[in-house]
């Protein structure tokens, strides 16, 4: 009798938040109607759902088991990257006429979040490809696109984005790498630092100063180049040993009298700064998605643990202190997801999304760190130990507040955009 | 944990795979039988079944005891059917079959499963529309009648199905289809080789492995070790959108889908009683005697 009551309660609870067949088809009809009216929707297309499914399956079945050993050894996860490449999970932005799939940023973000759930080190190695390719996609001429993007779809190659220097990170206008025109070539000298895929890339996007005049404005003084990694004079440094995302290859690179043909200049001399910054509007949403994937992982690991571990006679999830921690983690994950989805959707619609992209990246980076820390807290002593998965999440999360524009720079951008709107 | 032990108990009784659930929100499961027709022009008729996902935690018996709550439970392609699709696509890649057709019976949502089969490499799909009450009572006999009718209509030479569905474990559709068509059958296949116009099938049986040679056309049911299904790659998913899925009604095939079975009752397995630990063999014997077992 009681059993029936419990079942009925369970059944009703089930009904409340799950859809029945006819209800689902009614919803689908409404969604179709809304789409035709151009209304707001959180619904993914069938294709997006399938893409997400493949990425999710790959991440959970292949990346998750392999991640701890890559983290310990720091070895570059080439087998995983090759597999992702075979499945079409990489290089999604490359236009169709270069052999790619021409995916929008939104689709790329869906995939990135799933991969990051598996391991953000692997995801960063893959994402660095998108970052390196983006200047070529937005500013390359046909010949450059066919040559440098085409080869990425023919075999699993990596590329890198070389802007940061030992003396200039946030202050991009302060970079000192010099490119001097000599005949039909540019000769480049300088030092880059913290270049993801630095030691594995087949080619680099390089930003260098072409106008030596210190009074020249940033928007005219820099030039973007495509540099083949095997050009004489390109010297990658040693692999840096970082706190987290340890399997990702990060290096300093020295450029000593490197000669770049003028055909490899993007757009023209002086256009570099705009290209470098323009790439960020398209690459910040995926980075935010990566941080969200990490936060989601932290939430799921912590939830699983909280439903297994007992203390004071109850599962720790039944203690409000813990369930409130989980609730706040859930809040943060859901909001970060909505933020990056908005930023990605805006740019796919053809609009300038700087404001939303910065918000998404800033927020996701912050909450990834908070959720990872909270996950360690929920695991207690076990969380601090390397046999459990959450300490890696905490170490991996930190960089999300630093790379692709620090948390502070994001706030600068957001305030500038926000005040700019008010002044109109 | 009390709940998980209850679930695992349920899971083993309903024969769903007890896998780790990463807390994904449950999605609709659909039992759709989807055979793959291939042409040898072999048309491999793939049975693609959409079943309750093996990683779902909480299966509940409906309050009216007529079945299991399926609303809101995640459905995905039956794992044995994935293996069947993979085998058919492999045969096509070896150029031993001309066309692979994926078939599924069920409501609108089974189109997703057919799309997955298309993304894995099937050439086209057939959706046999069965919905509502008919779908709830759809069982192996009706499905095999549908397949037999389709096989004749499409002139298939080979029907590959998963050996059984992981939600009802009937293990009947393949055998019934072969009987209705009067075709030879190679069930529980762990290896399939095409030799001229005969099929060599290695079957997994209780005593080990049995190798048989059967004439085409034939029905094969896939067992676990036949192959490892491939992922649908993203480019293939995009290409699959252009592949055709035709809609067919059972009536068009002259099949009556009314059930001849009536489910009297569905119950959860009895709650597992806690055991008693004993120290010595002597104690064990005593306890067994007490319980009247020996």
């Amino acid at each position: 009798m009681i059993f029936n009551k419990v079942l009925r309660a369970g059944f009703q609870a089930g009904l409340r938040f799950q859809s029945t067949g006819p209800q689902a088809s009614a919803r689908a009809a409404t969604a179709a109607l809304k789409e035709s009216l151009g209304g707001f929707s959180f619904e993914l297309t069938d294709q997006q759902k399938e893409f997400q499914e493949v990425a999710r399956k790959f991440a959970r079945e292949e990346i998750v088991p392999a991640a701890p050993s890559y983290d310990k050894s720091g070895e570059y996860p080439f087998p995983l990257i090759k597999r992702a490449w075979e499945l079409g999970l990489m290089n999604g932005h490359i236009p169709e006429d270069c052999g790619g799939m021409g995916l929008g940023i939104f689709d790329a973000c869906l995939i990135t979040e799933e991969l990051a759930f598996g391991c953000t080190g692997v995801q960063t190695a893959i994402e660095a490809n998108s970052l390196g390719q983006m200047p070529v996609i937005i500013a390359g001429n046909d010949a450059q696109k066919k040559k440098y993007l085409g080869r990425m779809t023919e075999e699993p190659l990596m590329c890198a984005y070389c802007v940061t220097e030992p003396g200039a990170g946030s202050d991009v206008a302060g970079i000192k790498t010099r490119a001097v025109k000599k005949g039909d070539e540019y000769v480049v000298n300088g030092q880059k630092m913290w270049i993801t895929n630095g030691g594995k890339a087949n080619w680099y996007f390089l930003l260098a100063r072409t106008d030596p005049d210190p009074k020249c404005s940033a928007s005219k003084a820099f030039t973007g180049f495509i540099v083949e990694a095997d050009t004489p004079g390109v010297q990658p440094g040693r692999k840096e040993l970082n706190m987290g995302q340890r399997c990702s290859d990060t290096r300093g690179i020295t450029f000593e009298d490197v000669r770049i043909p003028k055909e490899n200049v993007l757009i023209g001399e002086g256009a570099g700064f705009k290209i470098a910054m323009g790439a960020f509007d398209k690459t910040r949403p995926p980075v935010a998605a990566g941080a969200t994937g990490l936060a989601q992982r932290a939430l799921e690991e912590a939830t699983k643990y909280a439903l297994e571990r007992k203390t004071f006679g109850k599962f720790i999830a039944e203690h409000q202190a813990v369930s409130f921690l989980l609730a706040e983690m859930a809040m943060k994950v859901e909001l970060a997801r909505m933020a990056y989805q908005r930023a990605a959707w805006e740019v796919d619609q053809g609009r300038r999304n700087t404001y939303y992209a910065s918000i998404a990246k800033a927020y996701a980076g912050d909450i990834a760190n908070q959720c990872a820390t909270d996950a360690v807290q929920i695991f207690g002593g076990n969380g601090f130990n390397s046999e459990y998965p959450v300490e890696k999440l905490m170490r991996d999360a930190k960089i999300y507040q630093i790379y692709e524009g620090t948390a502070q720079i994001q706030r600068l951008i957001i305030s500038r955009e926000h005040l700019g709107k008010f002044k109109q | 944990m009390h709940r998980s032990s209850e679930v695992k108990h349920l899971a083993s009784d309903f024969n769903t795979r007890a896998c780790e659930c990463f807390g994904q929100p449950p999605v609709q499961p659909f039992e759709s039988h989807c055979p793959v027709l291939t042409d040898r022009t072999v048309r491999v008729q793939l049975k693609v079944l959409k079943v309750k996902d093996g990683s779902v935690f909480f299966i509940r018996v409906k309050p009216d005891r007529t079945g299991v709550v399926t609303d809101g439970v995640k459905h995905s392609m039956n794992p044995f059917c994935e293996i069947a699709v993979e085998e058919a696509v492999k045969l096509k890649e070896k150029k031993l079959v001309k066309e692979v057709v994926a078939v599924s019976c069920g409501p609108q949502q089974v189109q997703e499963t057919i799309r997955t089969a298309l993304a894995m490499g099937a050439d086209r799909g057939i959706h046999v529309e069965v919905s509502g009450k008919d779908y709830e009572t759809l069982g192996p006999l009706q499905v095999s009648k549908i397949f037999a009718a389709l096989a004749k209509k499409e002139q298939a030479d080979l029907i590959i199905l998963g050996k059984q569905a992981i939600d009802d474990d009937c293990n009947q559709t393949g055998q019934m289809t072969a009987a209705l068509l009067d075709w030879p059958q190679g069930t529980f296949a762990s290896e399939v080789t095409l030799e001229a116009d005969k099929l060599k099938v290695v079957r997994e049986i209780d005593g080990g492995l049995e190798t048989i040679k059967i004439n085409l056309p034939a029905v094969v049911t896939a067992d676990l070790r036949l192959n490892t299904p491939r992922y649908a790659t993203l480019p293939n998913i995009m290409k699959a959108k252009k592949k055709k899925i035709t809609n067919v009604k059972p009536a068009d095939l002259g099949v009556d889908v009314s059930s001849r079975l009536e489910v009297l009752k569905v119950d959860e397995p009895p709650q597992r009683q806690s055991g008693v630990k004993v120290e010595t063999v002597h104690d064990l014997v005593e306890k067994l005697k007490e319980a009247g077992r020996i």
Side-chain angles (χ1 to χ4, degrees), chain B residues 15 23 31 60 121 138 142 150 194 201 211 243 263 266:
Chain B
N15 252 307
E31 196 176 312
R60 285 187 294 268
L138 193 69
Q142 297 92 321
L150 267 174
L194 203 56
V201 179
T211 311
K243 295 183 183 172
V263 174
V266 174

Side-chain angles (χ1 to χ4, degrees), chain A residues 341-408:
Chain A
Q341 288 181 340
R342 176 69 189 266
W345 181 81
E346 285 286 328
V347 76
D348 281 344
Q349 297 278 307
R351 292 189 283 272
R352 186 169 170 272
N353 71 335
T354 313
Y355 176 69
Y356 293 103
S358 286
I359 288 178
K361 200 268 172 184
Y363 188 72
D366 288 349
I367 64 104
N369 276 276
Q370 291 162 18
C371 289
T373 311
D374 288 342
V376 172
Q377 190 66 22
I378 289 174
F379 271 70
N382 286 336
F384 200 64
N385 180 269
S386 52
E387 300 275 312
Y388 291 82
V390 287
E391 58 83 26
K392 172 177 180 290
L393 298 179
M394 209 173 141
R395 287 185 287 109
D396 287 348
K398 189 56 195 159
I399 193 66
Y400 279 109
Q401 286 175 312
I402 301 173
Y403 68 17
E404 199 85 18
T406 60
Q408 289 69 31

Side-chain angles (χ1 to χ4, degrees), chain A residues 162-163 172 175 177 192 205-209 222-224 272-273 276:
Chain A
C162 287
V163 171
V172 175
I175 63 170
T177 302
K192 295 293 183 186
F205 166 75
L206 173 73
L207 193 70
R209 193 175 184 109
F222 300 95
T223 307
F273 193 79

Side-chain angles (χ1 to χ4, degrees), chain B residues 119-139:
Chain B
M120 283 172 73
D123 296 298
R124 58 184 169 91
I126 298 177
H127 171 202
V128 182
E129 291 171 15
V130 180
S131 42
K133 260 273 146 227
D134 284 336
Y135 183 61
E136 280 175 42
T137 56
L138 193 69

Side-chain angles (χ1 to χ4, degrees), chain B residues 97-110:
Chain B
V97 303
K98 227 161 87 176
E99 192 192 24
V100 176
V101 180
V103 179
S104 195
C105 306
Q108 186 60 23
Q109 288 84 341
V110 306

